């Protein structure tokens, strides 16, 4: 192993599986499987996730919902929303295990990588059925409110978000462009839709240094994905809107005049010369 117990040598990447047997409240046997624990422990350390915090977060997993993708997987959010638990197929779990050594080395070389941060791969066997699930950090877990969310692929084909609209005839999918005909109300600030490329109607202006670092990291990450023949990926973008009050020039001049008058009054004792 490398410094600090980090996996480096080939033997350190032994993709072992650990499992623990237990009994549920209904006296049914349950087996918890933990895949590649050494590598994921190292990744969690790099991502600033303590083992105690990880266990506590997953113990209170909540807010189940269906995936918006084509997989039909289940998504669960941890108690604070920092982690996402996603059910996955056996083949997808196997592919992730194969990718792990290179994935770990990539983060060792590029700690600011924008790749999705995987922090655990597990499975539970219950009633003779084995369910695999992967745990990842939520991109939008931040102290700031995320007002807009975008899933960007750099394509215009079919890249417009849909919404589910409840009409008397039932629920159907509609494009963003159709939305005004269904409601005249503005969208609630907490509306959690994920928009796409054609929904982003304005440029994003970044400081040149930040723009260069972002583009460089994206290029490195895209090369990593291409080297592993992974092509179905996108950039998740979150936008926090801030509002600033800009004073008009005449308002500033009036404010300066009031400040000067107050200063003169203080000097003269609030009246004329004594």
């Amino acid at each position: 192993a490398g410094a600090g117990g980090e996996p480096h040598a080939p033997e350190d990447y032994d993709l072992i599986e650990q499992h623990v047997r237990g009994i549920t409240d209904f006296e049914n046997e349950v087996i918890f499987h933990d895949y590649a624990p050494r590598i994921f422990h190292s990744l969690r350390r790099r991502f600033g996730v303590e083992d105690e915090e990880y266990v506590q977060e997953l113990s209170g997993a909540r807010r189940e919902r269906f995936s918006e993708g084509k997989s039909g997987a289940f998504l669960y959010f941890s108690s604070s929303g920092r982690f996402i638990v996603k059910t996955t197929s056996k083949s997808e779990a196997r592919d992730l295990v194969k990718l792990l050594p290179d994935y770990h080395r990539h983060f060792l070389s590029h700690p600011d990588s924008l790749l999705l941060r995987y922090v655990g791969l597990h499975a539970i066997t219950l009633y003779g059925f084995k369910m695999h699930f992967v745990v990842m950090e939520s991109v939008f877990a931040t102290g700031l409110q995320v007002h807009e969310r975008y899933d960007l692929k750099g394509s215009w084909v079919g890249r417009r978000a849909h919404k589910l609209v409840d009409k008397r005839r039932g629920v159907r999918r509609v494009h963003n462009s159709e939305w005004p005909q269904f409601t005249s109300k503005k969208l609630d600030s907490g509306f959690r839709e994920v928009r796409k490329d054609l929904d982003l109607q304005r440029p994003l202006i970044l400081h040149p240094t930040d723009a260069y670092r972002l583009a460089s990291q994206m290029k490195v990450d895209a090369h990593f994905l291409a080297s592993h023949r992974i092509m179905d990926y996108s950039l998740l973008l979150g936008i926090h809107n801030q509002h600033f009050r800009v004073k008009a020039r005449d308002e500033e001049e009036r404010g300066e005049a009031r400040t000067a008058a107050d200063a003169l009054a203080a000097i003269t004792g609030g009246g004329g010369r004594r």
Side-chain angles (χ1 to χ4, degrees), residues 51-70:
D51 289 342
E52 295 78 8
E53 177 191 9
Y54 182 67
V55 173
Q56 184 177 4
E57 284 279 347
L58 296 188
S59 300
R62 58 188 176 86
R63 290 163 48 193
E64 171 191 342
R65 72 175 178 86
F66 284 101
S67 167
E68 296 177 357
K70 298 178 181 178

Side-chain angles (χ1 to χ4, degrees), residues 1-157:
E6 294 280 12
H8 283 289
E11 59 270 19
D12 294 331
Y13 286 107
D14 183 17
L15 303 176
I16 62 175
E17 172 189 345
Q18 296 179 346
H19 61 269
V20 178
R21 295 178 180 270
I23 302 296
T24 67
D25 293 340
F26 299 98
E27 298 185 355
N28 295 305
E29 183 183 52
V30 58
I31 305 176
F32 179 82
H33 308 263
D34 187 16
Y35 295 95
R38 182 182 179 83
I39 299 180
F40 279 116
H41 173 73
S42 174
L43 287 171
R44 288 195 294 270
R45 284 180 55 189
R46 290 202 154 267
F47 300 154
V49 180
E50 299 293 337
D51 289 342
E52 295 78 8
E53 177 191 9
Y54 182 67
V55 173
Q56 184 177 4
E57 284 279 347
L58 296 188
S59 300
R62 58 188 176 86
R63 290 163 48 193
E64 171 191 342
R65 72 175 178 86
F66 284 101
S67 167
E68 296 177 357
K70 298 178 181 178
S71 65
F74 284 96
L75 296 184
Y76 299 84
F77 291 83
S78 67
S79 56
S80 70
R82 180 178 180 181
F83 302 112
I84 297 175
V85 180
K86 178 184 177 182
T87 58
T88 184
S89 66
K90 182 178 180 180
S91 62
E92 290 173 333
R94 184 170 57 246
D95 290 341
L96 178 57
V97 168
K98 291 180 180 178
L99 179 68
L100 270 181
D102 287 343
Y103 176 83
H104 181 266
R105 295 187 190 100
H106 183 79
F107 271 99
L108 289 179
S109 302
H110 307 281
D112 294 328
S113 172
L114 300 174
L115 293 179
L116 185 63
R117 295 187 169 189
Y118 291 105
V119 294
L121 176 63
H122 315 287
I124 291 179
T125 300
L126 183 63
Y127 304 117
F129 175 75
K130 189 175 184 179
M131 180 182 68
H132 296 82
F133 59 94
V134 62
V135 184
M136 44 200 165
E137 275 197 304
S138 173
V139 177
F140 300 129
T142 172
L144 297 175
Q145 181 180 1
V146 181
H147 298 98
E148 301 175 51
R149 295 169 171 81
Y150 292 91
D151 181 309
L152 305 176
K153 286 184 177 292
S155 171
W156 293 345
V157 180

Side-chain angles (χ1 to χ4, degrees), residues 170-243:
V171 176
R172 79 175 186 89
R173 299 171 70 88
V174 299
H175 284 283
N176 277 1
S177 57
E178 299 179 77
W179 185 256
Q181 64 179 293
F182 290 99
T183 176
S184 59
K185 297 180 180 179
K186 294 183 178 180
L187 292 179
D188 181 75
S189 59
F191 191 68
R192 299 179 61 85
E193 67 159 333
V194 178
R195 304 170 189 179
K196 299 182 180 180
D197 300 67
L198 293 177
D199 302 309
L200 187 59
Q201 300 293 328
R202 65 185 189 279
L204 300 178
I205 302 175
L206 301 176
H207 187 280
T209 302
D210 295 333
Y212 175 78
R213 291 180 57 191
L214 181 62
S216 299
Q217 188 60 62
M218 289 173 60
K219 183 177 180 179
V220 172
D221 290 341
H223 177 74
F224 172 82
L225 295 172
S227 66
H228 288 84
R229 307 178 69 85
I230 299 173
M231 60 177 293
D232 186 14
Y233 56 88
S234 57
L235 174 68
L236 294 181
L237 171 68
I239 298 178
H240 170 73
N241 296 321
Q242 288 185 308
H243 301 279

